[in-house]
Amino acid sequence: ESTVFEASQRYREDGTPLVVMAGVEFGTGSSRDWAAKGTDLLGVRATIAESYERIYRDNLVGMGVLPLQFAEGDSWDSLGLDGTEIYEIHGLDDGLQVNDDLTVIASDADGEDVVAEFPVTAQVGTPAAVRYVEHGGILHYVLRKLLTN
């Protein structure tokens, strides 16, 4: 067993990006502003939830974390996922688009057998949000803009 921080450090050392699975109204609560920063600092690159609290979703985008939403009726539980899987997000080869429909493929821990394949929708509603996610967050985007001007 390990703490979330210890596990995130191990995955970071291995070069493994992290995905968080969540339920309904993910991010609800008074700590949603700093929580998105912590998510990014832990190395989480995407979240997949049944639904999001709006401000938290926007904060994730601002930190460069891609918020994905399960299709109606899907959840990590209904798909038989337990978090030990390896996740691949398909449909990003041509770049992220506003409210992009993507496919997630979950394979067993060995990466050999597909456990589930399911549709998700990227919860990025504007071209600016797309740019923030693609650049790793609003700070990285602004710094790159400053350096190229």
Side-chain angles (χ1 to χ4, degrees), residues 127-145:
V130 168
R131 286 192 296 275
Y132 299 156
V133 169
E134 289 181 334
H135 283 267
I138 194 168
L139 179 61
H140 297 284
Y141 174 73
V142 170
L143 289 174
R144 283 187 182 106
K145 290 290 284 180

Side-chain angles (χ1 to χ4, degrees), residues 4 17 28 37 75:
V4 170
T28 300
K37 294 174 183 75
S75 69

Side-chain angles (χ1 to χ4, degrees), residues 113-128:
D113 296 321
V114 173
V115 175
E117 182 173 332
F118 53 96
V120 294
T121 302
Q123 297 299 297
V124 287
T126 66

